[in-house]
Amino acid sequence: MIDETFTMPLWAELTAVGVGSLQGALFAAGFKRLDLLGVAILGIASGIGGGFLRDILLSTTPAAFSINWYLITATLAAFVGMLVPRLFRKVDPVVTLLDAVSIGMFGAIGATKALSLGLPVIPALFIGTVSAVGGGVLRDIILNIPIALMHVGSFYAVASMGGIIVLLGLLAFDVPVLIAGFACVVVTTLLRLLAVRFGWSLPEQRALSRVQLRRQRQVEAVIDEALQTGVIVLPDLGDVHDEDVDEEDDGEPRHGDRR
């Protein structure tokens, strides 16, 4: 347990909130029939959603409700993103960098706040990750679309967890909270930017039905060969993997494909 929470200057926290809201507004630009109230709600959810979920899980008063500036910043940033989306798409690398820094900040704040309240290490890791990525989850829920965090190609949670694990490791060796927090932000930012640059993602789930289909085809092939040659050669079914299913097998639907 630690006695203090990793803190940033108010302007830095508001910048992180603004970037989150801006990202939410830019994401929603492709959705029609969103009025000004809808954009404001979306911006607030994207900007302060992670911190809000963090404080709800920790049974504390949401920090975003402690002063006026959090809600004001989130709303204004969402309106700006809605009005000039093309401008921000031209500077997308800058927005991506700020977004990576912001999830690192929220992850460090969430994890250290959980530790300061007496939570063990693993729950603190969970709370920190929720704090970092919760805004995007709330955004997708409000828009009634599949949660991007749970689909192939999203590296937000992994980058955040990587940074938080570094933070927890440093704290275990009595490194000051401020230094450990900055290390968390740096590691998270690097992981997120490298994932964007090189297209990193977690492996896609293996579809059991495709494995079973492959085994069935191998058995059918053995039976056909036995009927023709009179010799039965049993296939090794233990090493059948999902990736063995070829796109050129037949026209049957591939249940594990990305949507």
Side-chain angles (χ1 to χ4, degrees):
M1 186 176 98
I2 61 176
D3 296 327
E4 58 180 317
T5 300
F6 175 70
T7 57
M8 298 287 291
L10 180 60
W11 65 264
E13 287 197 42
L14 293 179
T15 299
V17 168
V19 171
S21 300
L22 183 66
Q23 288 277 49
L26 293 176
F27 182 84
F31 292 83
K32 304 299 182 182
R33 303 188 65 81
L34 274 180
D35 59 15
L36 292 180
L37 178 60
V39 173
I41 292 175
L42 193 65
I44 291 172
S46 301
I48 69 173
F52 183 80
L53 291 176
R54 172 201 68 208
D55 293 335
I56 291 298
L57 291 173
L58 293 175
S59 299
T60 61
T61 301
F65 295 164
S66 60
I67 60 174
N68 295 325
W69 286 110
Y70 286 100
L71 293 174
I72 293 174
T73 301
T75 303
L76 291 178
F79 284 155
V80 172
M82 177 193 70
L83 293 174
V84 285
R86 293 183 180 180
L87 172 63
F88 288 102
R89 289 198 177 94
K90 291 180 180 179
V91 292
D92 186 64
V94 176
V95 177
T96 300
L97 171 61
L98 293 176
D99 183 52
V101 173
S102 69
I103 65 174
M105 289 172 51
F106 285 130
I109 293 171
T112 54
K113 188 171 185 177
L115 290 173
S116 68
L117 292 175
L119 269 67
V121 171
I122 299 303
L125 173 63
F126 174 77
I127 293 293
T129 305
V130 169
S131 178
V133 303
V137 173
L138 286 182
R139 175 203 66 197
D140 295 342
I141 292 175
I142 290 174
L143 291 173
N144 195 28
I145 61 176
I147 298 175
L149 181 68
M150 301 175 63
H151 288 260
V152 173
S154 174
F155 211 73
Y156 273 90
V158 176
S160 175
M161 290 178 65
I164 295 171
I165 289 173
V166 170
L167 178 146
L168 295 174
L170 292 175
L171 292 177
F173 289 97
D174 296 324
V175 174
V177 172
L178 186 62
I179 296 176
F182 275 114
C184 173
V185 174
V186 171
V187 171
T188 300
T189 301
L190 289 177
L191 287 175
R192 175 59 186 158
L193 294 180
L194 288 173
V196 172
R197 174 63 179 84
F198 297 105
W200 291 350
S201 66
L202 292 178
E204 188 175 359
Q205 65 156 338
R206 297 184 183 278
L208 180 61
S209 59
R210 292 168 61 186
V211 176
Q212 293 174 338
L213 178 62
R214 177 61 176 169
R215 290 178 175 176
Q216 179 181 348
R217 288 174 177 171
Q218 281 197 333
V219 172
E220 291 174 351
V222 169
I223 294 175
D224 290 340
E225 184 176 355
L227 292 176
Q228 296 176 7
T229 64
V231 178
I232 298 179
V233 180
L234 296 178
D236 183 5
L237 299 181
D239 294 327
V240 178
H241 295 292
D242 189 16
E243 60 264 25
D244 291 334
V245 181
D246 246 343
E247 290 185 355
E248 50 191 41
D249 277 342
D250 60 22
E252 296 186 20
R254 296 166 58 85
H255 301 291
D257 287 347
R258 300 183 193 176
R259 290 184 292 175

